[in-house]
Amino acid sequence: MILRVRPLVVCFLLVSVLSVDVALARNAFGSERDLLAATNRERRTQGLPALRWDQSLAVAARAHAREMAKHESISHQFSGEPSLPSRARQAGAQFTWLAENVDSAGSASQINDRFLQSSAHRANILDQDMDSIGIGVVERGGQLFAVEDFSKAK
């Protein structure tokens, strides 16, 4: 009997862990969509065209968001980490110009509000030369770590 219970307990624990990971991934993906919608909504209010989603930039943004979550800190580059242009190129992005917004908060809405209240972050969102965006969000300990990578595509 004990031998049968243990495999069932292990199986239950694995399913529970996988369920939590899937839920966190859904939350992060939903937050990325929310930030994209908020960014393009703000651009429209200023008479600017919407930014196109760039999957390569999103790959680079997600990798950097993971680094921020790992360090539990906000930075455009950590020691030993490639620069933004290198991260974007390694992910396959083709661009003539790049910019990046990074922040952390409890929700995508809070992050977007903070971006819009910061003149430098708002300038990136409203840069009329940018035409593409990739967003990465990673959750750790109830905090969202978000990266918005903007580009003027080649």
Side-chain angles (χ1 to χ4, degrees):
M1 187 81 155
I2 292 174
L3 293 176
R4 289 184 183 170
V5 171
R6 285 187 180 162
L8 287 175
V9 169
V10 170
C11 184
F12 175 76
L13 290 173
L14 285 173
V15 168
S16 297
V17 168
L18 290 174
S19 297
V20 169
D21 285 347
V22 168
L24 291 175
R26 274 194 215 126
N27 183 38
F29 180 69
S31 295
E32 291 173 3
R33 285 192 325 236
D34 292 347
L35 286 169
L36 175 64
T39 294
N40 281 331
R41 189 170 43 251
E42 184 63 25
R43 287 178 63 87
R44 277 192 304 276
T45 66
Q46 301 300 315
L48 296 170
L51 297 170
R52 278 185 317 229
W53 181 259
D54 184 306
Q55 188 60 32
S56 296
L57 287 176
V59 167
R62 288 178 187 134
H64 187 59
R66 280 192 298 277
E67 282 297 309
M68 291 193 322
K70 180 175 93 177
H71 288 87
E72 295 183 339
S73 180
I74 304 305
S75 178
H76 288 283
Q77 185 177 11
F78 293 98
S79 178
E81 183 186 28
S83 66
L84 171 59
S86 293
R87 291 191 309 260
R89 273 191 217 96
Q90 288 170 358
Q94 297 184 6
F95 55 88
T96 58
W97 187 249
L98 287 172
E100 181 175 71
N101 287 349
V102 296
D103 201 359
S104 179
S107 71
S109 176
Q110 289 173 326
I111 290 168
N112 186 66
D113 289 346
R114 289 164 51 119
F115 283 157
L116 293 176
Q117 291 169 6
S118 159
S119 60
H121 292 109
R122 184 177 177 79
N124 286 340
I125 289 170
L126 299 178
D127 188 332
Q128 63 187 4
D129 292 328
M130 298 299 182
D131 58 20
S132 304
I133 189 170
I135 300 171
V137 176
V138 172
E139 188 276 339
R140 180 172 183 176
Q143 267 313 90
L144 297 179
F145 293 83
V147 177
E148 294 180 334
D149 285 344
F150 303 88
S151 80
K152 170 78 172 160
K154 276 189 177 180

